[in-house]
Amino acid sequence: MGKPLFYEILEKPATSCAIGICSAIWFYIQKSNIGYSHVGLSYETALEGHYWRIITSAFSHISVLHLVFNMSALWSLGVVEQLGHLGLGMQYYLHYTLVLVVLSGMLVIGMYHILIQKFKLEYFRRVTAVGYSCVVFGWMTILSVKQPSSKLNLFGFLSLPISFAPFESLIFTSIIVPQASFIGHLSGIIVGYAVGWGLIHGMNNYWAVTMLGWTVLVFVFSLKKSGTFDLNFLEIEPVTDPSLPSVRFFAAGSGRSLQMSTLPDAGADLV
């Protein structure tokens, strides 16, 4: 008999939180009748400066089957949190989950760019990617490098050797979910190998917090610039002061405004 679910959740806190967040967002999307075009990542929206979609697309699922597949695989991959003795563990899991979310999203756009500009495949200009698959496939790949003897359990009954799991799952997902993003999954695999082989390494608390901080800043300001949501509390003033950057909060009616100023030589909006 396996461990009670409660104890498994305690052993995989970061994985459990990620599953909870993705499930809650899926429920909200279904309840609010939000379409994938509102939260997904595409080449055209990236050109328009909607960089915030790199984050929203990763945590959003439209199909319940896609959600179940990703969360089932993610739960199995949560074993990474229990492998601290192998140099992995929860801290490693959190650090490189952030790397997988950001870099795989950027790689998706880069691959779309090559397919559109180099091979003239205009179809990819309007393809919209959603789902946590890039992170799931990334962790499959990292685990296949770090712990090749492991097994990946899907849906509680399907067991795959982790060393072949990334590409087996790539084929399996393409069959059961035809509209799944092959490019998104492949991007997760590429970033996963880069992490697993040590091409991307050195993440610690300092770099993780720094990367998270920049991610939040880009998310907020690109969201403000896109005008998709009303962020009246965030005010970006034209720049007139050539001195060093300054940031200050001040009361403005019932809310708060953030005023920033910096520029070497001419006035412009900071974005």
Side-chain angles (χ1 to χ4, degrees):
M1 180 180 293
K3 295 180 181 179
L5 179 60
F6 175 76
Y7 290 106
E8 290 202 48
I9 290 174
L10 292 180
E11 291 178 348
K12 306 175 183 179
T15 303
S16 301
C17 286
I19 291 173
I21 290 170
C22 288
S23 300
I25 291 174
W26 173 83
F27 180 78
Y28 177 78
I29 286 173
Q30 298 302 311
K31 186 177 180 181
S32 304
N33 293 318
I34 295 175
Y36 64 88
S37 62
H38 296 98
V39 294
L41 178 66
S42 69
Y43 184 74
E44 286 191 338
T45 56
L47 290 181
E48 293 170 1
H50 295 200
Y51 307 126
W52 52 271
R53 290 175 179 267
I54 290 177
I55 306 302
T56 59
S57 64
F59 291 92
S60 302
H61 295 79
I62 305 302
S63 164
V64 65
L65 184 60
H66 193 197
L67 175 71
V68 171
F69 175 84
N70 280 347
M71 296 305 101
S72 175
L74 186 63
W75 180 254
S76 181
L77 294 165
V79 69
V80 171
E81 295 189 64
Q82 303 169 326
L83 298 177
H85 60 287
L86 296 177
L88 303 179
M90 185 177 73
Q91 195 174 78
Y92 182 94
Y93 183 86
L94 290 171
H95 290 172
Y96 286 99
T97 291
L98 177 61
V99 170
L100 288 168
V101 169
V102 176
L103 293 191
S104 60
M106 294 172 64
L107 185 58
V108 165
I109 296 303
M111 294 174 75
Y112 284 164
H113 179 77
I114 293 172
L115 290 169
I116 294 167
Q117 302 299 330
K118 182 70 175 178
F119 298 99
K120 308 303 180 184
L121 298 175
E122 291 296 320
Y123 163 77
F124 288 98
R125 188 177 294 275
R126 293 172 296 278
V127 171
T128 302
V130 291
Y132 206 65
S133 303
C134 55
V135 179
V136 169
F137 277 81
W139 277 119
M140 281 185 201
T141 307
I142 294 170
L143 202 57
S144 72
V145 174
K146 301 286 188 180
Q147 192 75 359
S149 61
S150 300
K151 296 280 188 180
L152 176 69
N153 295 310
L154 297 175
F155 308 114
F157 63 88
L158 182 61
S159 181
L160 302 174
I162 195 66
S163 55
F164 300 108
F167 296 101
E168 289 176 341
S169 299
L170 188 63
I171 296 170
F172 181 70
T173 306
S174 299
I175 294 173
I176 66 170
V177 187
Q179 68 271 32
S181 172
F182 182 87
I183 298 295
H185 297 171
L186 185 61
S187 297
I189 292 173
I190 293 172
V191 178
Y193 275 124
V195 173
W197 289 339
L199 301 177
I200 298 174
H201 66 282
M203 282 293 287
N204 53 34
N205 288 337
Y206 171 79
W207 288 115
V209 171
T210 300
M211 186 176 184
L212 179 62
W214 279 108
T215 301
V216 171
L217 280 176
V218 171
F219 181 91
V220 171
F221 285 112
S222 65
L223 189 63
K224 170 68 176 179
K225 182 182 177 181
S226 71
T228 305
F229 297 97
D230 186 12
L231 300 176
N232 288 330
F233 66 90
L234 183 62
E235 182 178 323
I236 306 175
E237 297 286 348
V239 175
T240 56
D241 186 2
S243 62
L244 293 175
S246 62
V247 180
R248 59 194 174 94
F249 287 91
F250 61 92
S254 59
R256 284 184 175 272
S257 296
L258 173 63
Q259 190 178 62
M260 302 181 65
S261 62
T262 181
L263 191 68
D265 42 25
D269 286 344
L270 271 184
V271 295

